[in-house]
Amino acid sequence: MTPMGIFSKISSIFTGKKELDAANVELLRDALIGADIAPDLAEQLVGKLRARGTVTESEAKQILFDAMLPIVGKLAGWPIANHLPVPGKSESPMVILISGVNGAGKTTSIGKLASFWKDMGHKVVIGAADTFRAAACEQLAEWADRAGADLITGTGDPASVAYKAVEHGIAVKADIVIIDTAGRLHNRADLMDELAKITRVIQKLDPGAPHVSTLVLDANTGQNALNQIEFFNKAAPLTGLMVTKMDSTAKGGFLVSYAANNKIPLPVYGIGYGEKLHDLRPFSADEYLHKLLGM
């Protein structure tokens, strides 16, 4: 069941009924679990419904919303698309490292970010450090062309391409350098070591780089996203997350569990909804929960 199932399940439970009784609360708990919310958290949430006795459909959704808002609200942070250096004033560019597993939507996200910043008057450089797949470089070249950004490519060692991209960014006085890394499984130690190497190499040019380290997560990923965050954070310490494909039936329910299990979770910088250059939106806890619950 996808996260879409939360509110469709609520509606089906209420079919022919005006109120939700205690017995049917269990069905709602199953719907929450099926929507990638951890079982213990799902139990806590439906406990709030049990405490109310019988509730209407709208009341059930509002109770869940009120219970989850303080949890999900912890994910709010500065939107990456709006966090900008002053054009032409920085001595060195803001370096952004983008990582994630294959198919998460890294390349598309980079294109959207580059386009947004270019439209704001910033000079943007993109480093195509995914040297393992020719198709990845070709796709990134298309996005860079559409966004009007410089593209630095190369073959062989991804870290060398990342170095060249930052070096070029400094030389042309770019405001932002975005480094695309190869898609990798979080449980492949060799690939994660390579990601750590990229960080070490670019720090030779700027000890503070990367200034932003972002993990891109597919909204369909489910609870496995929590493992991805843990492993990627060890290889290239993360500063935030982006969630893609939120225009599909998936609504990224794993974010509720992630926020609940961390006192200070990483912020969600942005949400990707489509394939167009401007389909990038800042994260809003209120909007996220309304979509998740079908309110």
Side-chain angles (χ1 to χ4, degrees):
M1 182 187 298
T2 67
M4 180 71 78
I6 294 179
F7 56 83
S8 64
K9 188 68 173 180
I10 292 176
S11 297
S12 66
I13 292 171
F14 275 95
T15 301
K17 298 182 177 65
K18 293 184 178 180
E19 296 180 326
L20 181 69
D21 57 34
N24 286 328
V25 167
E26 307 305 318
L27 298 177
L28 184 52
R29 181 193 60 190
D30 293 343
L32 290 167
I33 294 172
D36 297 323
I37 293 175
D40 57 342
L41 179 56
E43 182 62 32
Q44 292 177 34
L45 292 171
V46 298
K48 296 182 180 298
L49 295 178
R50 291 194 189 96
R52 286 286 300 272
T54 56
V55 294
T56 64
E57 179 177 0
S58 61
E59 287 174 338
K61 290 181 178 181
Q62 189 62 50
I63 290 169
L64 291 174
F65 178 89
D66 292 341
M68 286 192 260
L69 186 59
I71 298 172
V72 179
K74 294 190 294 182
L75 299 174
W78 53 263
I80 192 171
N82 296 328
H83 189 77
L84 303 167
V86 179
K89 299 297 183 182
S90 302
E91 294 184 2
S92 58
M94 180 170 72
V95 180
I96 301 172
L97 188 68
I98 304 290
S99 57
V101 302
N102 283 324
K106 297 188 307 303
T107 304
T108 302
S109 296
I110 289 170
K112 293 174 182 178
L113 290 170
S115 178
F116 182 93
W117 281 321
K118 189 70 176 180
D119 289 347
M120 294 291 289
H122 296 279
K123 185 171 183 59
V124 181
V125 173
I126 298 175
D130 184 353
T131 60
F132 299 105
R133 295 187 306 124
C137 186
E138 292 172 4
Q139 185 183 14
L140 198 58
E142 182 179 340
W143 279 106
D145 182 63
R146 291 166 63 185
D150 291 355
L151 179 68
I152 304 301
T153 63
T155 58
D157 185 12
S160 67
V161 177
Y163 184 94
K164 284 171 53 181
V166 176
E167 187 176 47
H168 177 80
I170 293 172
V172 301
K173 299 186 182 304
D175 300 300
I176 298 164
V177 174
I178 309 174
I179 299 174
D180 179 29
T181 62
R184 61 197 70 232
L185 294 173
H186 59 279
N187 56 1
R188 280 284 301 275
D190 56 333
L191 295 179
M192 299 307 284
D193 287 345
E194 178 190 89
L195 187 59
K197 180 182 177 182
I198 290 175
T199 297
R200 294 194 302 271
V201 166
I202 61 177
Q203 286 175 345
K204 294 178 181 179
L205 293 168
D206 184 344
H211 306 99
V212 177
S213 179
T214 305
L215 177 63
V216 178
L217 296 164
D218 184 330
N220 297 282
T221 301
Q223 289 294 306
N224 188 45
L226 308 186
N227 292 327
Q228 290 183 27
I229 294 170
E230 178 184 357
F231 281 87
F232 275 94
N233 191 44
K234 290 178 180 177
L238 301 171
T239 60
L241 311 171
M242 291 185 69
V243 182
T244 62
K245 306 177 186 178
M246 289 285 277
D247 53 325
S248 66
T249 55
K251 302 299 178 189
F254 63 81
L255 287 175
V256 181
S257 296
Y258 171 65
N261 291 326
N262 292 271
K263 290 183 178 180
I264 307 177
L266 294 167
V268 177
Y269 290 149
I271 299 291
Y273 281 91
E275 294 296 322
K276 297 179 181 178
L277 277 177
H278 298 96
D279 290 338
L280 176 68
R281 296 160 65 175
F283 175 79
S284 163
D286 187 279
E287 180 183 5
Y288 165 76
L289 288 176
H290 272 82
K291 289 182 178 297
L292 186 67
L293 297 170
M295 298 177 71

